[in-house]
């Protein structure tokens, strides 16, 4: 249970990533947040119920030819 003031958002909340980190594992590219969510550097998340959230897709360079645009 979060003892921070104001309390950290719950793992089910849309703003769950704003919870305070309680353990940092920068060598592994992740942290443990107060709400038991593990966010990864690539944007993916692991929730306490073991559900995974895929990382956001990054837009790559536009490789189409000028006449295809």
């Amino acid at each position: 249970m979060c003892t921070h003031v104001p309390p950290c958002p719950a793992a089910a909340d849309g703003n769950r990533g704003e919870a305070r980190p309680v353990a940092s594992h920068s060598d592994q590219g992740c942290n443990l947040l107060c709400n038991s969510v593990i966010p990864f550097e690539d944007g993916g998340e692991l929730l306490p119920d073991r559900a995974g959230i895929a990382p956001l897709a990054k837009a790559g360079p536009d490789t189409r030819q000028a006449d295809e645009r």
Side-chain angles (χ1 to χ4, degrees):
M1 180 159 204
C2 179
T3 58
H4 296 116
V5 177
C8 294
D13 293 347
N15 62 342
R16 66 182 150 263
E18 295 176 16
R20 294 187 189 195
V22 294
S24 176
H25 298 281
S26 56
D27 57 319
Q28 298 176 5
C30 64
N31 294 309
L32 174 62
L33 302 182
C34 179
N35 56 8
S36 299
V37 171
I38 301 173
F40 295 92
E41 287 179 349
D42 67 359
E45 295 177 328
L46 184 60
L47 302 180
D49 64 359
R50 298 183 183 176
I53 297 180
L56 299 174
K58 293 183 180 180
D62 188 356
T63 59
R64 296 176 294 172
Q65 298 295 321
D67 59 335
E68 296 175 333
R69 294 183 194 162

